[in-house]
Amino acid sequence: MVCASAEAIESCDEILIQILKHLPAKSLFRFKLVSKRWSSLISDPFLKSIWKPRVSGLFIQISTKKTCKTKHEYIKVEAKLPNSLQDNLSFLNSDGNSICGTEILSSCNGLFLILCKKGSKLFYNHRYYICNPTTKKYVAVPCPERRSAWKEVNMFLAYDPSESIAYKLVAISSIRRSQIFVNMYSSESKSWKGIEGVALGDVCFNLGVYFDGSILWPALRSEESQCFNVSSEVFQRFAMPPLQKSNQQRKLKHFGKTNEGHLCLILGSSSDANMLFVHQMKRGQFNWSVKYHVDLTSLASAFHVLHIASKEDEVSSMILLVKGRAMSHEFKDKTYKELQKTALPDQKCLVVHQLIENPFCLLN
């Protein structure tokens, strides 16, 4: 009777998909080898659209000023790390050159945009890679055309596996403080193209987050900020939370997505360094809602906000770095839990990237 039931389930694609959607990425990746039928089911666009990715951990990136090397530390959030980032990037030594610096420029839904610097301290041959830590696959991408007058280039990855296996890169550069220029790369055309830019203003174009089809950047003083719609290739404006006091800039503590894909903005109080205001923007909505006023006075120490978690479409907790310890803080019951001790220094120049399981983009 049990065998007959198992055979009935195995023969029904609809039931199998409902089971597969609850499995972690590593299991899906292995089950693709069971048969051609299972591989087809796991690659089906419908499963991609209903499968919920999981944030398994956080990569904390630290750039040292005295050397050209960039260090990374991993903080576990849920599952174990499938494999270390350095193992995934071992191919960078394949041509015999020494790796002087490996930097994560952007992360999006399970893919990393990697900048690899090879050679001596006096000369770098910059190479860009898209890497999938779940599947251990990578692909090189050409460098964007760069003008000698450009002061700075910030690159962002735009990728949504529920929509397509294709990804895009958006490079933001500036020649002067008043104007930015845009170049966009498509994995389908495998080429870059220039796009008309916009006025720079007080928008933080180094803090972009891909959310709901657009790359959004926060503004420090303006009532509105800029976002770039990747599909229509146009800039749009969206509202920022009101300033606490006129003629003051916002104290930005965190700008990023939750594990459920909602956008979260945390602002510090202008009068109390231990008070935080947690804002959330849901998919399909380009407006902010204040969810929590968080008082961290009990920590009695400096802190850094690393990640915001959500449950049932509402922000629920955050991960903090306090005196070299990663701690979670629940918003409702105001409790703390130590996750792990780290070797992270107490400094502000920490860049956080989510490690999200992604069995779909193979990058062959």
Side-chain angles (χ1 to χ4, degrees), residues 58 60 73-76 304 306 318-329 336-344:
L58 306 173
I60 315 300
E73 179 145 349
Y74 177 72
I75 295 177
K76 185 172 68 173
H304 298 284
L306 302 179
M318 62 182 172
I319 296 179
L320 303 169
L321 178 66
V322 183
K323 292 183 177 180
R325 296 174 298 161
M327 304 176 62
S328 65
H329 173 67
Y336 295 91
K337 178 183 178 181
E338 183 171 325
L339 300 178
Q340 69 183 68
K341 294 182 179 179
T342 74
L344 293 172

Side-chain angles (χ1 to χ4, degrees), residues 27-35 38-39 42-43 359 362:
S27 297
L28 288 180
F29 191 60
R30 288 174 176 172
F31 288 163
K32 292 185 74 172
L33 303 177
V34 172
S35 65
W38 278 54
S39 178
I42 294 173
S43 302
L362 301 180

Side-chain angles (χ1 to χ4, degrees), residues 121-363:
K121 295 182 180 180
L122 301 178
F123 177 78
Y124 294 126
N125 179 17
H126 289 192
R127 299 183 183 181
Y128 296 92
Y129 298 91
I130 301 295
C131 175
N132 184 338
T134 304
T135 62
K136 304 182 183 180
K137 299 293 183 179
Y138 66 92
V139 63
V141 296
C143 298
E145 180 183 354
R146 178 162 186 164
R147 302 176 185 177
S148 58
W150 285 1
K151 293 183 178 180
E152 184 179 8
V153 177
N154 294 297
M155 296 180 65
F156 304 97
L157 181 58
Y159 167 67
D160 186 348
S162 66
E163 299 290 337
S164 171
I165 61 172
Y167 58 85
K168 294 181 179 180
L169 302 178
V170 176
I172 302 291
S173 55
S174 63
I175 293 180
R176 52 191 179 276
R177 287 292 299 172
S178 60
Q179 188 75 19
I180 66 163
F181 296 87
V182 181
N183 280 289
M184 190 165 72
Y185 174 85
S186 170
S187 62
E188 295 178 311
S189 65
K190 300 188 184 305
S191 62
W192 290 90
K193 69 175 181 179
I195 298 172
E196 186 176 353
V198 295
L200 182 58
D202 71 330
V203 177
C204 300
F205 279 106
N206 61 321
L207 299 177
V209 175
Y210 181 67
F211 169 76
D212 208 10
S214 298
I215 298 175
L216 284 72
W217 297 274
L220 297 181
R221 290 187 176 91
S222 303
E223 294 181 357
E224 293 182 320
S225 192
Q226 298 276 2
C227 65
F228 178 74
N229 189 296
V230 176
S231 298
S232 62
E233 301 179 3
V234 296
F235 279 89
Q236 299 171 324
R237 303 190 71 84
F238 68 97
M240 290 291 295
L243 289 169
Q244 297 175 35
K245 294 182 180 179
S246 59
N247 300 324
Q248 286 190 352
Q249 72 175 25
R250 298 178 179 87
K251 294 187 176 182
L252 191 64
K253 298 296 185 180
H254 179 81
F255 186 68
K257 289 195 295 187
T258 71
N259 53 300
E260 293 183 329
H262 304 303
L263 190 61
C264 187
L265 171 68
I266 296 184
L267 299 175
S269 170
S270 58
S271 58
D272 187 347
N274 294 308
M275 181 66 69
L276 301 179
F277 302 96
V278 181
H279 301 75
Q280 178 177 283
M281 180 185 291
K282 294 185 178 181
R283 291 175 65 98
Q285 305 172 7
F286 266 74
N287 61 286
W288 297 101
S289 58
V290 181
K291 293 299 180 181
Y292 292 98
H293 295 175
V294 182
D295 187 355
L296 299 179
T297 304
S298 60
L299 288 178
S301 177
F303 58 87
H304 298 284
V305 180
L306 302 179
H307 174 67
I308 304 298
S310 59
K311 294 180 181 178
E312 299 179 355
D313 289 336
E314 297 293 337
V315 292
S316 58
S317 64
M318 62 182 172
I319 296 179
L320 303 169
L321 178 66
V322 183
K323 292 183 177 180
R325 296 174 298 161
M327 304 176 62
S328 65
H329 173 67
E330 295 290 335
F331 292 139
K332 285 188 176 181
D333 58 19
K334 302 179 181 181
T335 58
Y336 295 91
K337 178 183 178 181
E338 183 171 325
L339 300 178
Q340 69 183 68
K341 294 182 179 179
T342 74
L344 293 172
D346 291 327
Q347 60 185 35
K348 295 182 179 180
C349 52
L350 301 177
V351 181
V352 183
H353 293 280
Q354 296 177 346
L355 181 63
I356 298 177
E357 297 178 327
N358 177 8
F360 301 114
C361 193
L362 301 180
L363 299 175

